[in-house]
């Protein structure tokens, strides 16, 4: 009985007692459902650092939104989305029409965008605003923010289920995709828009910087546990949601900022996966198991 | 009528890899594209499937539609680190039936299984492609072509890094396709394979050196000309003024 009581106090009560914790919990679930799969596709497409670049790219848009409408979620989200898509579009065009590779184009345009963002924020906002944009707070997620995050998760899952096959085929065998007459670039662009959408969704809850953490860390961990895409997707979502719940509880009990707590927990899962992951983790690779007959 | 080239030039940074190539592939026969390294063979195939845009000239498909063309890429073009199983990869051959998101279905699945059986990999359905040898993987790619059931089959260096037994088995598939009157065009490096299985040969060294019946094309004289012509990348080559460029 006592144990039950303690567990209840530790794990359940924070959510039943406080509405803001419940909203944060729902927010984490929605973010995990959207960002987990997106991160996995970024990893599989060897674009793990692209999420980071894009998270910086949305800054000036959010800043413009803030300047025009104050601390308004729709304005900042819309601004962030437009800026992110613009950077993705410009980088895509630069890759297509010059001899530069995609990573170089993205690096160049996101840096431009970031500098513009910092300039805008420092010219007319205060450092506090900048901190909010960069780091957010999942505990401050309100009803409209929750609806935004949930909508993005819905759009993401539906879109991914539609573009899944060409998207995977484009990384697997791009020339074949061209040969059957499908435009790889189109699916790629759609995917980048989903990346931006998810970053914008993560924005209010975790801030632009931490949102990438929830996207990439669970996805990279998942690659170390599952060998099929389906298994990886499930693992990635579970790790993301688990880190979300755990991070919220840690932040509640120890009065830690929620964003970093969530990401650090996801990071911990990553470190454990690195060592013990059943598919390619360090330890299983070096532990001798008897080989099969054939 | 079969697929034809009309004055095709494809270049990398202005240096042509395929230079003013014209001609027509024999329908229902197997044509080998033969020539030294850097002769533009793979480039020509990519231009034919539309993956590379020619600077000049045109590829005339002459009645072939996209769904009539199956293409075997070089293995290095495929990212085998991705978590994809053999059956998934072979099922992509059904693209023209499923499209980007249609389901594979029972008959599609049966075709995939039959193709895997035909290349001797029936047991390998659920292996990840990262766990296959180059020879096994090449069999998987041939199974995909079987599934595509195309009238025009383009193979880019199909027997590189493949052992003798696998090469033999896959060449028998080529023979089979030829018997079914499909048009097969393959980039090859092995003289004996060309002579044994390919009735037509296109010998090229950026430009077309000779094109026609294999016995008439693969003469010592022609081969020597191809080697000499393949020569070197000229850093300061003058601008080409051959007819058709100005248009």
């Amino acid at each position: 009985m006592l144990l039950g009581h303690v567990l209840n106090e530790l794990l359940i009560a924070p959510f039943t007692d406080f509405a803001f914790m419940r909203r944060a919990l729902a927010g984490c679930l929605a973010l995990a459902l959207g960002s987990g799969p997106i991160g996995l596709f970024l990893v599989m497409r060897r674009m793990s650092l692209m999420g980071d670049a894009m998270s910086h790219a949305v800054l000036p848009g959010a800043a413009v939104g803030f300047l025009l409408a104050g601390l308004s979620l729709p304005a900042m989200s819309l601004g962030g989305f437009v800026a992110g898509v613009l950077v993705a579009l410009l980088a895509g065009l630069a890759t297509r029409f010059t001899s530069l590779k995609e990573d170089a184009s993205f690096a160049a345009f996101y840096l431009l965008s970031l500098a513009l963002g910092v300039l805008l924020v420092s010219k007319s906002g205060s450092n506090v605003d900048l901190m909010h944009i960069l780091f957010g707070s999942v505990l401050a997620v309100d009803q409209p923010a929750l609806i935004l995050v949930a909508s993005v998760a819905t759009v993401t899952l539906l879109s991914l289920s539609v573009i899944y096959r060409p998207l995977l085929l484009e990384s697997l065998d791009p020339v074949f995709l061209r040969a059957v007459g499908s435009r790889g670039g189109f699916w790629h662009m759609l995917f980048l828009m989903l990346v931006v959408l998810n970053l914008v969704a993560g924005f209010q809850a975790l801030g632009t910087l931490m949102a990438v953490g929830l996207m990439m860390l669970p996805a990279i961990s998942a690659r170390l546990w599952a060998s099929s895409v389906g298994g990886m997707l499930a693992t990635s979502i579970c790790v993301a949601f688990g880190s979300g719940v755990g991070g919220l509880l840690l932040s509640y009990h120890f009065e830690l900022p929620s964003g970093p707590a969530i990401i650090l927990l996801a990071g911990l899962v990553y470190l454990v996966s690195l060592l013990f992951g059943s598919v390619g983790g360090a330890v299983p690779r070096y532990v001798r198991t008897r080989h099969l007959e054939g | 009528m079969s697929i034809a080239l009309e004055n095709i030039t494809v270049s990398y940074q202005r240096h042509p890899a395929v230079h003013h190539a014209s001609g027509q592939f024999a329908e229902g026969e197997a044509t080998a594209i033969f020539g030294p390294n850097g002769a533009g063979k793979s480039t020509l195939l990519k231009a034919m499937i539309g993956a590379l845009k020619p600077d000049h000239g045109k590829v005339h498909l002459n009645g072939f539609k996209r769904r009539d063309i199956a293409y075997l890429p070089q293995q290095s073009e495929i990212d085998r680190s991705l978590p994809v199983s053999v059956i998934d990869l072979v099922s992509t051959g059904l693209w023209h039936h499923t499209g980007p998101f249609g389901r594979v279905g029972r008959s599609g699945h049966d075709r995939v299984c039959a193709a895997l059986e035909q290349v001797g990999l029936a047991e390998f359905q659920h292996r990840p492609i990262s766990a296959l040898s180059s020879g096994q993987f090449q069999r998987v790619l041939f199974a995909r072509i079987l599934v595509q059931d195309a009238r025009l089959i383009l193979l880019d260096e199909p027997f590189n890094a493949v052992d003798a037994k696998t090469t033999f088995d896959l060449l028998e598939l080529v023979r089979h396709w030829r018997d079914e009157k499909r048009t097969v065009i393959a980039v090859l490096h092995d003289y004996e394979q060309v002579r044994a299985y390919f009735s037509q040969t296109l010998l090229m060294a950026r430009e077309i050196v000779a094109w026609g019946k294999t016995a008439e094309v693969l003469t010592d004289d022609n081969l020597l000309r191809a080697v000499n012509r393949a020569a070197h990348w000229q850093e300061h080559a003058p601008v080409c003024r051959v007819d058709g460029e100005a248009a």
Side-chain angles (χ1 to χ4, degrees):
Chain A
M1 283 310 284
L2 184 66
L3 182 69
H5 180 71
V6 171
L7 282 180
N8 181 50
E9 277 301 302
L10 280 179
L11 305 179
I12 311 288
F15 297 113
T16 49
D17 292 354
F18 297 100
F20 74 88
M21 284 294 281
R22 282 198 296 279
R23 275 199 299 273
L25 184 69
C28 281
L29 178 60
L31 277 179
L33 284 171
S35 292
I38 289 288
L40 188 66
F41 273 98
L42 282 171
V43 175
M44 287 198 297
R45 295 169 76 77
R46 301 175 188 229
M47 292 166 59
S48 297
L49 292 172
M50 206 72 88
D52 201 35
M54 293 310 293
S55 75
H56 291 77
V58 301
L59 189 65
V64 169
F66 176 74
L67 292 182
L68 294 179
L71 206 58
S72 134
L73 181 65
M76 286 168 61
S77 302
L78 187 68
F81 180 70
V82 170
V85 169
L86 205 62
V87 165
L89 216 64
L90 288 173
L93 288 176
T95 310
R96 206 184 147 123
F97 291 106
T98 69
S99 61
L100 288 175
K101 294 275 180 232
E102 189 172 44
D103 58 335
S105 314
F106 265 93
F109 279 105
Y110 102 74
L111 285 165
L112 277 175
S113 185
L114 178 64
L116 190 65
V118 173
L119 190 83
L120 285 172
V121 171
S122 60
K123 198 69 188 154
S124 18
S126 67
N127 282 336
V128 182
D129 304 325
L130 181 61
M131 289 295 280
H132 186 81
I133 293 176
L134 289 180
F135 299 113
S137 168
V138 70
L139 301 178
V141 167
D142 54 9
Q143 203 73 18
L146 198 55
I147 289 172
L148 174 78
V149 176
S151 313
V152 167
T154 310
V155 169
T156 302
L157 288 177
L158 286 177
S159 314
L160 273 184
S161 65
V162 170
I163 69 173
Y164 176 91
R165 190 178 292 158
L167 200 56
L168 194 59
L169 198 50
E170 212 235 331
S171 354
L172 175 73
D173 192 351
V175 189
F176 176 82
L177 193 65
R178 294 292 295 273
V180 294
S182 186
R183 287 162 191 247
F186 171 73
W187 308 108
H188 184 59
M189 212 56 221
L190 264 181
F191 174 67
L192 284 177
M193 289 178 94
L194 288 180
V195 174
V196 177
L197 257 184
N198 276 277
L199 287 171
V200 170
F203 188 99
Q204 168 84 359
L206 297 166
T208 57
L209 296 183
M210 296 288 128
V212 192
L214 200 63
M215 200 175 264
M216 302 317 299
L217 286 167
I220 299 172
S221 308
R223 279 221 76 165
L224 293 161
W225 290 104
S227 50
S228 68
V229 182
M232 286 179 198
L233 284 171
T235 313
S236 175
I237 291 172
C238 289
V239 171
F241 184 51
S243 315
V245 177
L248 283 178
L249 288 170
L250 285 177
S251 111
Y252 175 86
H253 290 298
F254 299 101
E255 288 177 33
L256 302 171
S258 55
I262 292 171
I263 303 309
L264 279 174
L265 207 57
L268 192 67
V269 175
Y270 163 70
L271 290 175
V272 171
S273 312
L274 214 50
L275 286 177
F276 301 108
S278 55
V279 184
V283 173
R285 279 180 78 161
Y286 291 104
V287 174
R288 281 172 178 270
T289 46
R290 291 197 74 87
H291 58 258
L292 307 174
E293 265 184 18
Chain B
M1 284 291 271
S2 174
I3 190 165
L5 311 175
E6 184 194 329
N7 197 19
I8 288 267
T9 295
V10 190
S11 55
Y12 299 107
Q13 291 166 23
R14 299 185 70 197
H15 294 277
V18 176
H19 204 187
H20 298 298
S22 293
Q24 176 147 8
F25 287 91
E27 180 160 16
E29 296 201 47
T31 303
I33 303 182
F34 197 73
N37 283 331
K41 306 182 294 292
S42 302
T43 303
L44 178 60
L45 277 198
K46 284 197 183 137
M48 283 162 61
I49 59 164
L52 282 177
K53 201 171 155 1
D55 302 32
H56 292 281
K58 264 193 183 144
V59 175
H60 295 284
L61 293 180
N62 290 335
F64 284 118
K65 299 195 186 64
R66 280 228 180 260
R67 60 186 310 144
D68 298 323
I69 305 176
Y71 170 75
L72 177 99
Q74 285 187 33
Q75 289 205 5
S76 56
E77 315 238 9
I78 299 179
D79 183 355
R80 282 175 60 188
S81 70
L82 288 171
V84 169
S85 66
V86 166
I87 195 162
D88 288 342
L89 182 63
V90 177
S91 302
T92 61
L94 296 166
W95 181 274
H96 289 299
H97 296 271
T98 61
F101 39 84
R103 56 179 258 129
V104 169
R106 164 70 58 187
S107 69
H109 180 77
D110 289 347
R111 266 169 70 187
V112 169
C113 291
L116 277 171
E117 182 141 7
Q118 209 175 333
V119 299
L121 290 180
E123 307 284 303
F124 284 67
Q125 286 187 20
H126 299 293
R127 291 262 178 112
I129 54 171
S130 57
L132 302 179
S133 72
S134 333
Q136 288 167 338
F137 189 59
Q138 202 65 352
R139 286 171 187 263
V140 169
L141 294 180
F142 267 74
R144 176 165 73 180
I145 292 181
L146 285 169
V147 168
Q148 282 184 274
D149 189 26
R151 282 165 57 215
L152 173 60
I153 297 168
L154 308 177
L155 311 170
D156 197 354
E157 306 204 2
F159 308 119
N160 274 12
V162 170
D163 69 16
K165 170 78 169 80
T166 302
T167 303
F168 177 78
D169 289 352
L170 298 181
L171 275 168
E172 285 305 307
L173 281 180
V174 171
R175 187 201 295 278
H176 185 63
W177 288 331
R178 211 184 52 192
D179 294 345
E180 292 177 333
K181 293 288 171 218
R182 296 177 202 265
T183 307
V184 180
I185 302 171
V187 171
L188 291 175
H189 283 294
D190 188 304
Y191 186 77
E192 295 305 325
Q193 286 166 9
V194 175
R195 292 215 313 183
Y197 288 89
F198 292 80
S199 57
Q200 303 279 316
T201 297
L202 159 56
L203 178 63
M204 66 185 290
R206 280 193 271 175
E207 287 152 24
I208 291 174
V209 177
W211 192 349
K213 290 212 168 65
T214 296
E216 289 161 21
V217 168
L218 292 184
T219 60
D220 290 346
D221 195 32
N222 279 341
L223 289 170
L224 190 65
R225 273 175 45 212
V227 171
N228 285 340
R229 231 191 267 182
H232 21 276
W233 168 290
Q234 289 172 284
E235 190 56 49
H236 300 290
V239 173
C240 176
R241 301 278 181 210
V242 179
D243 59 290
E245 292 275 293

